Amino acid sequence: MESSPTMEIIEMHRDLLSRLLPDDKTDELTVHQGQFHEVVIGSDRVVCFARTEAAAARLPERAAVLRALAGLGLRFRTPQPLAEGGAVGTDEPPYLVLSRIPGAPLEEDALADPEVAEAVATQYADLLHGLAAAGGDEKVRAALPAAPEGEWQEFAAGVRAELYPLMSDSGRERAERELAALDALPHLTSAVVHGDLGGENVLWETTGGLPRLSGVVDWDEVTLGDPAEDLAAVGASYGEELLARVLALGGRASDGVSGRIAAIRGTFALQQAFYARRDGDEEELADGLTGYQDA
């Protein structure tokens, strides 16, 4: 019988995991595969193993960002760095140990209940309001990187140079339409932007039969930027109806953000493929290019 990816990761690092997660049995651990890390989930802490050398080089920066986030006074929990390892000259793989945020992503059909959908939309609106408010704090602005001016134009140039040779003619035509929409995006750095605020990274617990937001994980791409990026991820994860409700609750239904959301959301697959190409992650690259290559 073939072993699963979860079993392979745990078996590969069994001795190290036994030391880093002493209160857990390795056979009962679970593994989540993200774009940049393999995350082994224990009862009260998680261990992040970098999937590529580029991701490994970013682990210290990731820890520093999480420490900065801890001091922002956000109204939800974020992971706290507990230990780092795998330095050059050791036999250990690069890793980062983080506190575990309780809760889980919403079930796929959870929003079918109107009361649940309203509770989720309300809390998402509050979350985004908190991130926008934090973006106006000078201490926050000193601690987090700002999105660089011209970032979307640079991204588009990179896609054309690095991904177009991997696409079919029809794929390049599709990509060109999606990239052209980015030209109208303004350079904004007004809010703290998570960068991947989709369903997998927002965790919930149930209180009184309704979901309660317990925390947000995976802050690898956090910047001071345009909140439309996070709103685009909300729409991609939960659909247009919930996104519209979040916009209405946040007073943003008519402020021009919808066009920016659509432009950014239209490039999600290209973003996945492009950054996977930069990191040397062939699996994520192939997945992101689906739809840009002939069958």
Side-chain angles (χ1 to χ4, degrees):
M1 182 176 68
E2 294 184 3
S3 60
S4 68
T6 293
M7 292 173 59
E8 290 176 358
I9 293 296
I10 291 174
E11 191 59 39
M12 184 185 307
H13 305 302
R14 180 174 293 274
D15 291 342
L16 178 58
L17 290 169
S18 296
R19 179 163 58 82
L20 297 176
L21 304 174
D23 297 329
D24 297 288
K25 296 180 180 179
T26 53
D27 293 338
E28 297 177 359
L29 298 171
T30 57
V31 178
H32 169 74
Q33 180 172 302
Q35 182 169 357
F36 302 113
H37 306 96
E38 306 280 5
V39 182
V40 180
I41 303 171
S43 57
D44 63 354
R45 56 179 61 191
V46 302
V47 182
C48 303
F49 294 107
R51 293 185 61 186
T52 65
E53 290 185 7
R58 292 194 298 268
L59 283 177
E61 178 184 354
R62 186 183 190 208
V65 165
L66 289 172
R67 292 188 185 97
L69 287 169
L72 300 189
L74 299 173
R75 291 178 290 181
F76 50 85
R77 284 172 285 191
T78 59
Q80 304 297 305
L82 302 176
E84 301 173 55
V88 175
T90 72
D91 294 331
E92 295 178 343
Y95 66 82
L96 179 62
V97 182
L98 304 173
S99 61
R100 178 180 176 180
I101 304 299
L106 289 174
E107 296 291 336
E108 188 172 341
D109 60 350
L111 299 183
D113 183 330
E115 190 175 4
V116 169
E118 183 68 12
V120 170
T122 299
Q123 291 174 83
Y124 252 115
D126 287 344
L127 185 163
L128 289 159
H129 176 76
L131 292 178
D137 186 311
E138 288 305 317
K139 291 183 179 179
V140 174
R141 299 189 69 81
L144 298 180
E149 192 164 2
E151 63 169 333
W152 291 115
Q153 290 73 23
E154 183 178 345
F155 166 73
V159 168
R160 293 181 179 110
E162 298 184 38
L163 297 186
Y164 274 22
L166 307 177
M167 297 179 182
S168 64
D169 289 343
S170 61
R172 284 189 287 273
E173 291 174 2
R174 171 188 166 182
E176 194 58 39
R177 291 192 299 271
E178 293 165 346
L179 294 175
L182 299 177
D183 290 340
L185 291 179
H187 179 237
L188 301 176
T189 61
S190 58
V192 174
V193 173
H194 177 276
D196 190 9
L197 203 60
E200 289 189 353
N201 292 327
V202 180
L203 306 183
W204 306 80
E205 296 179 301
T206 300
T207 302
L210 292 174
R212 179 179 62 82
L213 195 154
S214 59
V216 180
V217 299
D218 194 358
W219 291 84
D220 286 9
E221 300 173 52
V222 64
T223 61
L224 298 166
D226 184 351
E229 294 186 47
D230 283 341
L231 287 161
V234 173
S237 288
Y238 301 110
E240 296 302 323
E241 186 174 346
L242 186 87
L243 174 60
R245 186 60 181 146
V246 171
L247 290 171
L249 288 166
R252 312 201 62 159
S254 60
D255 71 350
V257 73
S258 295
R260 305 202 310 275
I261 292 171
I264 293 168
R265 185 173 171 181
T267 65
F268 276 176
L270 291 175
Q271 290 185 50
Q272 175 183 330
F274 180 67
Y275 294 114
R277 169 89 169 173
R278 288 283 176 93
D279 267 14
D281 191 326
E282 295 297 328
E283 183 178 347
E284 287 289 321
L285 172 63
D287 183 63
L289 285 176
T290 301
Y292 297 92
Q293 297 171 323
D294 292 335

